[in-house]
Each structure stands twice: as structure tokens, then as C-alpha cells.
Amino acid sequence: VIQGYVVADGKPALCIQTDQGITDGQIGLVVFRYTDQHPERLHIPAGTLILEALLNGFHCAANSPPK
């Protein structure tokens, strides 16, 4: 499970804080929902698709690193 953030253009782009209540199941649901809403993306590699889903579902609100 990812804890922390991915930096894009010098700003945090992905915030997942499992120590603050986000569960593995919720992360899985975010990915499932993204693939359900974007079936045209199912041909791309799984790692890329999962990262897209996580970036879409867990973007950092204030573009600051998680605490």
C-alpha cells in the first residue's frame, strides 16, 4: 500500500494515508470505480491504469506533502 505522495512538477499529486483511515479495500474500490467509468482505458498496462485511478481518486487537496 502506498503511504506518501508522488511528486509531479514539484507538487504532490497523490496522497494516500493508510495510517489515517484509508483502507486497502477503499483503494481497491477507487481503482475498480475508475476502470468501470473509463472502459476505454482498459487496454493500457495495468500499472499505468492503476496509477491513473489513484491519481484521480487521491489527489492532494492543497498540493502539500502529507503529514
Side-chain angles (χ1 to χ4, degrees):
V1 174
I2 298 169
Q3 280 189 292
Y5 61 97
V6 174
V7 176
D9 297 326
K11 299 177 183 174
L14 171 63
C15 293
I16 300 177
Q17 293 293 306
T18 56
D19 60 344
Q20 293 183 7
I22 296 173
T23 67
D24 293 350
Q26 288 170 320
I27 293 169
L29 287 174
V30 165
V31 173
F32 176 78
R33 180 175 163 208
Y34 184 83
T35 59
D36 191 49
Q37 292 176 346
H38 299 280
E40 74 282 1
R41 304 293 293 152
L42 294 176
H43 70 282
I44 65 173
T48 303
L49 184 62
I50 291 168
L51 183 57
E52 282 183 9
L54 295 177
L55 286 168
N56 184 267
F58 293 102
H59 41 24
C60 298
N63 282 330
S64 59
K67 296 179 182 179

